[in-house]
């Protein structure tokens, strides 16, 4: 059974190279700075990763690297299949 105290934060990667943390538009550097505030949390949130259909593998790897630098490893992927 899921822990009811689990917090979630969303990271959206857009095809134009921009990132959203929640609803805040950020550059990759700003995203890294914003993620740093979660590093010291006793129980960091689960990050829900969302990718625009036209985003690149490099953008994905960049987000994963920022999360890894800050030891943030609770990740889920939100997916929507489009036909």
């Amino acid at each position: 059974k899921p822990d009811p105290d689990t917090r979630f934060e969303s990271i959206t990667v857009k095809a134009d190279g921009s990132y959203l943390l929640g609803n805040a538009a950020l550059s990759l550097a700003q995203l890294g700075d914003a993620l740093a505030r979660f590093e010291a949390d006793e129980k960091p949130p689960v990050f829900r990763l969302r990718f625009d259909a036209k985003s690149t593998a490099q953008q994905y790897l960049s987000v994963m690297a920022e999360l890894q630098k800050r030891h943030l490893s609770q990740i889920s992927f939100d997916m929507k299949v489009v036909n």
Side-chain angles (χ1 to χ4, degrees):
K1 188 172 184 179
D3 182 348
D5 295 329
T6 300
R7 295 180 303 140
F8 293 90
E9 292 286 339
S10 65
I11 298 174
T12 304
V13 180
K14 300 180 81 179
D16 66 4
S18 63
Y19 302 86
L20 299 173
L21 179 59
N23 292 322
L26 305 169
S27 68
L28 183 61
Q30 291 168 324
L31 176 63
D33 291 342
L35 291 174
R37 73 174 191 232
F38 297 108
E39 187 174 11
D41 288 358
E42 183 177 320
K43 188 173 179 188
V46 173
F47 289 91
R48 290 183 166 152
L49 302 184
R50 301 171 178 162
F51 295 90
D52 183 293
K54 298 198 186 281
S55 60
T56 67
Q58 183 57 56
Q59 291 167 312
Y60 162 80
L61 292 171
S62 296
V63 170
M64 295 302 292
E66 291 299 324
L67 289 164
Q68 185 178 30
K69 280 184 213 176
R70 287 150 185 88
H71 310 285
L72 300 169
S73 59
Q74 297 288 329
I75 300 165
S76 72
F77 294 91
D78 288 352
M79 299 175 67
K80 177 180 175 185
V81 177
V82 179
N83 293 330

